[in-house]
Amino acid sequence: MPGWRLDDPSSAWPALRTSCSTLVRQPAWQATCEAAARIGDKPTDAIARQFFESRFTPWQLVNPDGSTEGLVTGYYEPLIQGSRQRNTRSRWPIHGVPADMLTVELGDVHPELKHLRLRGRIVGNKVVPYWSRQQIDDRGGQLPAPVLLWADDPIDLFFLQVQGSGRVRLPDGSMVRVGYADQNGHPYQSIGRWLVAQGELTLDRASMDGIKRWAQDNPQRLQELLHANPSYVFFRELPSSNDGPIGALGVPLTEGRSIAVDPRFVPLGAPVFLSTSFPNSSLPLNRLVLAQDTGGAIKGTVRADFFWGFGAEAGREAGRMRQQGQMWAILPNGMTPPALR
């Protein structure tokens, strides 16, 4: 694994212990996680390195076409402005899960589809797809979903949905944390790519900042832009905490040491060695991280979303990150990767 000797595995140790709070209940992980607990919270680099090298086996992830490189993007926990009540400034709803949305777990019928689910609604005696983003916006107050908060800016709310979690600063200065609760079942479509296809932006300018500038310059086309992505995320309010946002594993994410993956190929909670580069750079970013999250756009074998942390600076790094990289799933000795089972 290129760069393995240059990283400090002890820096990923807190994230490993966080993963183990859930994984220890699984037989394949129990002995490893119990051994990590005996070492404690702050091992030296040498102890952490010896632990990983003796107890884990790295498995390189390979795409169906035999290639070993894939896309590495970035995400973060944004801070947006909003209010508990709708007013002239705060006019865009942050919705909870609709009461009329059904979720069908395909794995209940076909175990090999355990990571797939369908969302829908009942019309007569049929289940039909749930409303798209445009249809949700068109329904307005008729959508049977609670409004948790009201956002000041629709493009900020859109990127809150893309990131899947964030914090909302209220007029009194207090903050409310919200996290992913569910999604409408429609596939994620990149509005950056839509702008490129429309000839509005070049690919190198289709970053988060570039999209925001375009939206500010073209307010009359804002809804057209947002509706290019039919996916819509619903939230839940979370307790206040200084920890990172809760990922799909159900544990807080760690800045710079957590990634989102496709769980069909990388077990949630597993260490992963990521070999990529910093945003818009050839400077190597070779790091031991933990697969603690998933995402609607994170599909494929060699595919990762790197968590940069909270706030504006993390957002700038995440918005610029679109690198190529290689990945190794690091699994307890004797454990087989999902794709080989």
Side-chain angles (χ1 to χ4, degrees), residues 251-318:
V251 301
L253 304 180
T254 300
E255 176 181 331
R257 292 290 173 173
S258 295
I259 60 171
V261 297
D262 188 333
R264 293 176 299 172
F265 308 106
V266 180
L268 269 180
V272 173
F273 189 73
L274 179 65
S275 179
T276 184
S277 54
F278 281 88
N280 289 347
S281 165
S282 59
L283 183 65
L285 175 59
N286 298 319
R287 191 169 292 184
L288 181 62
V289 293
L290 278 294
Q292 296 174 325
D293 207 1
T294 61
I298 314 305
K299 303 298 181 187
T301 311
V302 188
R303 179 72 174 94
D305 210 15
F306 185 90
F307 179 65
W308 281 97
F310 169 70
E313 181 58 34
R316 281 188 287 272
E317 294 295 328

Side-chain angles (χ1 to χ4, degrees), residues 66-226:
S67 62
T68 60
E69 287 199 343
L71 179 63
V72 182
T73 51
Y75 71 121
Y76 75 113
E77 185 182 20
L79 172 64
I80 72 170
Q81 308 299 316
S83 176
R84 288 282 187 188
Q85 291 81 34
R86 181 173 183 173
N87 55 51
T88 55
R89 184 181 182 88
S90 307
R91 296 184 287 127
W92 288 271
I94 301 176
H95 281 297
V97 179
D100 65 340
M101 190 173 75
L102 301 176
T103 301
V104 180
E105 297 286 348
L106 297 181
D108 292 344
V109 180
H110 300 286
E112 67 274 16
L113 302 178
K114 64 179 180 179
H115 295 297
L116 299 178
R117 58 183 62 85
L118 296 174
R119 279 84 165 186
R121 56 191 177 86
I122 295 177
V123 176
N125 61 352
K126 293 183 178 180
V127 176
V128 301
Y130 201 70
W131 306 112
S132 68
R133 174 179 294 275
Q134 181 173 352
Q135 291 170 326
I136 289 173
D137 287 344
D138 290 344
R139 289 183 67 78
Q142 295 181 349
L143 187 74
V147 177
L148 306 180
L149 299 150
W150 297 88
D152 288 6
D153 183 272
I155 196 75
D156 283 346
L157 173 56
F158 179 88
F159 280 111
L160 175 68
Q161 292 192 340
V162 172
Q163 302 305 317
S165 63
R167 306 182 200 185
V168 182
R169 178 180 284 137
L170 304 182
D172 65 1
S174 63
M175 287 197 285
V176 179
R177 174 172 263 172
V178 294
Y180 176 93
D182 213 329
Q183 186 258 359
N184 66 341
H186 289 260
Y188 171 83
Q189 301 292 335
S190 167
I191 61 173
R193 289 191 175 276
W194 183 84
L195 286 170
V196 171
Q198 296 289 311
E200 297 292 331
L201 290 179
T202 56
L203 186 59
D204 62 305
R205 293 180 56 227
S207 64
M208 183 169 59
D209 286 342
I211 294 169
K212 286 185 175 182
R213 283 193 295 270
W214 186 93
Q216 291 170 355
D217 294 340
N218 298 272
Q220 73 283 0
R221 297 187 65 188
L222 178 60
Q223 291 304 306
E224 180 187 4
L225 170 69
L226 299 184

